[in-house]
Amino acid sequence: MKQNLIVLSIITGILVLAGIVYYISKPEYNYTDKLKVKNTWILPAVLKEVSGISHIDDSRIACIQDEVGVIFIYDLEKKKIVDKIQFGPSGDYESIRIIDSVAYVMESSGKLFKIINFESNRSQIEIYQTGFSRKNDIESFDNHSESNTFLTIPKEKNLTNSSNDFIIYKINSSTYKVEKQAFSRITANDSIFETNKFFFVQNGFSPSELTIHPKTGEIFILDSKIPRLLILKPNGSFKKIYKLNPKYFQQPEGISFDSQGRMYVSNEESDFHKQNIQLVEWE
């Protein structure tokens, strides 16, 4: 009888401990009600792995997908692809940015394609190796006009041994090489952990895209693994994080703003949802 009580006490203790560990480490799934999907465009099957979007103008969006070196021009008004632009071989293309008549496409290996006059029959293609590699897994890229550089964040390993730090790197706009001095760094000791203790430590944060708001200069960063939207102040310090409902954001991989500052998010295909572009507004 005594042995049975001891065994029961041990089992009870283990269960209680497991419950405490689960409670401490479980993700917080209180999805934000600040963001509302106002419109959705279902993309054709060729874009089921849409990995990046960027506005050409307020009605046309340049899209890329993981596996092919093609820029797909999607017309929001016509609700279809209106042009395809070949720029490279098969690869793992993750981010696209349109700056005037130039398209920049980032491969996960850190290889950057610069397509000059990308909509012209006389377009020119330049290829640069930024200093990152496949182990860094680069999926984000945007122009930062204030510092005259491009910004990016490794999805996996940093270039330093600070594996737990969240580092935004600068890429020189002339040489297209990563600069030694980072744009910003959020460490495990940052005050962000006082109110967001699950932010990096337990769940991690896997940046699937980064873009800069055209009016406020704030930096918007998507996480596709656990759908979240991180907003940083223009200087790179923490402002806010929103947990996105996977019912609407199944795998957010692309983000772009139109000239009015309206936010568009693209999602890859999932088991239950088709690939899409969404107009998302704040409420």
Side-chain angles (χ1 to χ4, degrees):
M1 181 71 176
K2 186 176 181 179
Q3 288 181 331
N4 292 338
L5 288 174
I6 293 174
V7 171
L8 181 61
S9 297
I10 292 173
I11 293 174
T12 301
I14 292 173
L15 291 175
V16 170
L17 179 61
I20 292 172
V21 171
Y22 171 77
Y23 178 79
I24 292 175
S25 61
K26 72 182 181 69
E28 298 176 80
Y29 288 119
N30 297 319
Y31 308 123
T32 181
D33 58 358
K34 300 293 185 182
L35 293 169
K36 299 295 183 183
V37 177
K38 294 298 184 180
N39 203 348
T40 300
W41 291 264
I42 303 299
L43 298 174
V46 70
L47 286 171
K48 68 179 181 180
E49 294 187 47
V50 57
S51 54
I53 60 173
S54 184
H55 278 79
I56 300 172
D57 50 46
D58 285 354
S59 63
R60 294 183 303 148
I61 294 181
C63 310
I64 55 168
Q65 65 116 312
D66 286 352
E67 298 176 349
V68 299
V70 175
I71 298 173
F72 299 86
I73 309 301
Y74 186 83
D75 193 302
L76 297 173
E77 295 178 356
K78 296 178 180 179
K79 299 181 180 180
K80 66 178 183 179
I81 294 172
V82 293
D83 200 3
K84 299 178 184 179
I85 301 165
Q86 181 87 34
F87 68 88
S90 298
D92 184 17
Y93 303 103
E94 295 292 348
S95 183
I96 181 169
R97 287 296 161 217
I98 305 298
I99 303 174
D100 298 325
S101 62
V102 179
Y104 295 88
V105 178
M106 177 67 80
E107 195 176 21
S108 62
S109 65
K111 186 183 294 182
L112 179 64
F113 291 75
K114 179 181 180 181
I115 306 100
I116 303 168
N117 296 320
F118 72 98
E119 291 191 276
S120 168
N121 293 329
R122 298 182 178 181
S123 62
Q124 297 177 331
I125 300 173
E126 299 174 358
I127 303 173
Y128 300 90
Q129 185 52 255
T130 59
F132 294 101
S133 66
R134 292 195 182 279
K135 68 180 181 181
N136 305 120
D137 194 6
I138 303 299
E139 294 196 4
S140 56
F141 182 82
D142 200 5
N143 178 53
H144 188 251
S145 57
E146 187 173 329
S147 64
N148 193 30
T149 63
F150 297 98
L151 302 184
T152 189
I153 315 170
K155 190 175 183 180
E156 299 297 337
K157 294 183 178 180
N158 291 320
L159 292 175
T160 68
N161 294 324
S162 305
S163 58
N164 292 326
D165 291 354
F166 190 76
I167 303 175
I168 300 180
Y169 289 92
K170 295 185 293 186
I171 295 175
N172 189 284
S173 60
S174 298
T175 64
Y176 302 102
K177 295 287 187 181
V178 60
E179 296 188 351
K180 291 183 179 180
Q181 183 177 3
F183 175 76
S184 70
R185 181 192 301 257
I186 299 176
T187 69
N189 297 321
D190 196 277
S191 60
I192 183 177
F193 289 105
E194 295 178 5
T195 54
N196 295 272
K197 63 180 179 180
F198 299 112
F199 182 66
F200 294 122
V201 179
Q202 280 86 356
N203 291 336
F205 194 94
S206 300
S208 58
E209 188 56 287
L210 166 156
T211 195
I212 298 163
H213 195 286
K215 296 182 181 297
T216 67
E218 294 171 333
I219 302 167
F220 286 65
I221 305 169
L222 284 174
D223 179 355
S224 61
K225 289 185 178 179
I226 300 175
R228 289 176 287 185
L229 176 64
L230 167 65
I231 303 176
L232 303 180
K233 297 175 184 177
N235 65 0
S237 61
F238 175 77
K239 179 180 179 180
K240 189 69 178 179
I241 184 170
Y242 295 98
K243 299 175 182 67
L244 306 177
N245 192 333
K247 179 180 178 181
Y248 306 107
F249 302 93
Q250 69 266 21
Q251 190 173 336
E253 293 275 352
I255 183 170
S256 181
F257 291 96
D258 66 13
S259 64
Q260 301 177 54
R262 296 180 299 185
M263 184 169 70
Y264 292 73
V265 174
S266 64
N267 293 272
E268 288 192 7
E269 181 187 49
S270 71
D271 293 336
F272 304 103
H273 300 283
K274 290 293 185 181
Q275 61 280 353
N276 61 54
I277 292 176
Q278 299 167 320
L279 170 61
V280 182
E281 293 185 357
W282 305 88
E283 290 193 353

